[in-house]
Amino acid sequence: LASGIVASGSSLGLVLSEPLVPRIIAHSGETGWRIAWYVFAAATVVIAFINLVVMRNRPAASVGLSASPRPALDWRRIVSSRYAWHLGSVYMLWGYAYMVYFVFFQKRLIHDLGFTSEEAGSLFLALGLTSLICGVVWGWTSDRIGRRETMVLLLLLEAIASALFAFWPTKLGLIVSAGVFGLTALSFIGLVGAACGDRFGAVLAPASLGFVTLFVGIGQAIGPVVAGRIGDAFSSFAHAYAMSAGVFVLAAVLAVSLS
């Protein structure tokens, strides 16, 4: 549940960026995108400073307790763990399919389906708003039914969302797709973090999460490239979203045997 609450910060970022970025671009002309990135950079510096002031390296330090010596990290336990590689593979497939859905969201709506920029932006904002509660809901759920079961359920729901974007491109279908995706997608990050903590303990949780995050980075890098080429080949992103749905299903099948 705590990991899910933290992951909800990404949802808040989506909600804030949707009205902010178009206004920056509208008032800045051709340099709008560059200025938007400068704003993101400045915000990141501010957040980094807040983290430096507020966060503590160890829980004991935040409540005034004396800290015991920091135990040594046993990286070999992570790298040699079949579970870490298995979880990393699931996370890689999720990252691949997740990025396809997000990167080409407005492209699919505007260029394929004839939506206006305002309509596409409103739907993306709705996705962000629904995702505000996803971390809490699915974090609580995973505490009750287990990490693996929750992962499988999330992946199947995200597959449905992608399939709707590909095969039911009416306003109702797209709204349902965005709602389902918003209620599920970003909670997967917190769920993976919780799974790492469960398996490797508090000391190795950050290191193990860093290890499996290498996998998701690979998926996030490859997914948009492949989807972009599919979109160019078919002059539509329907096939790319169908592929995304298939990858989500493959990830769910792989997650079933996590143990």
Side-chain angles (χ1 to χ4, degrees), residues 14 104 144 233 243:
L14 286 177
F104 299 104
R144 297 300 181 274
M243 175 195 67

Side-chain angles (χ1 to χ4, degrees), residues 41-223:
T44 304
V45 170
V46 171
I47 293 169
F49 179 76
I50 293 172
N51 277 317
L52 181 65
V53 173
V54 175
M55 294 187 75
R56 298 293 179 266
N57 287 331
R58 306 193 67 196
S62 65
V63 292
L65 300 177
S66 59
S68 57
R70 183 185 298 274
L73 290 178
D74 185 7
W75 270 99
R76 291 175 298 179
R77 183 183 164 199
I78 299 172
V79 176
S80 63
S81 169
R82 186 179 304 174
Y83 180 85
W85 287 87
H86 192 161
L87 179 61
S89 299
V90 173
Y91 205 16
M92 179 178 67
L93 292 173
W94 175 83
Y96 180 106
Y98 159 89
M99 284 300 287
V100 172
Y101 191 99
F102 263 109
V103 168
F104 299 104
F105 186 88
Q106 296 204 8
K107 188 82 170 179
R108 169 75 169 144
L109 292 175
I110 296 172
H111 294 278
D112 289 358
L113 304 176
F115 280 58
T116 65
S117 297
E118 291 75 16
E119 289 173 328
S122 296
L123 189 56
F124 191 78
L125 179 59
L127 186 157
L129 288 171
T130 56
S131 69
L132 284 171
I133 63 170
C134 73
V136 176
V137 171
W138 293 107
W140 179 88
T141 301
S142 75
D143 288 340
R144 297 300 181 274
I145 69 174
R147 312 298 184 211
R148 177 182 60 189
E149 291 77 5
T150 306
M151 281 186 188
V152 172
L153 182 57
L154 284 174
L155 290 165
L156 291 177
L157 287 172
E158 288 160 18
I160 292 172
S162 291
L164 290 174
F165 228 67
F167 301 117
W168 192 21
T170 65
K171 281 193 175 181
L172 177 59
L174 297 170
I175 290 171
V176 173
S177 172
V180 171
F181 201 80
L183 284 171
T184 57
L186 292 174
S187 57
F188 200 83
I189 301 169
L191 187 56
V192 170
C196 288
D198 290 345
R199 175 54 62 102
F200 298 101
V203 174
L204 289 177
S208 59
L209 180 58
F211 179 72
V212 298
T213 300
L214 293 174
F215 289 78
V216 77
I218 295 171
Q220 289 176 328
I222 296 174

Side-chain angles (χ1 to χ4, degrees), residues 2-39:
S3 279
I5 292 172
V6 172
S8 296
S10 300
S11 305
L12 182 60
L14 286 177
V15 173
L16 294 176
S17 66
E18 176 52 39
L20 176 64
V21 174
R23 284 173 171 77
I24 292 175
I25 295 173
H27 287 87
S28 306
E30 295 181 356
T31 62
W33 279 108
R34 181 178 290 120
I35 293 174
W37 282 111
Y38 289 153
V39 171

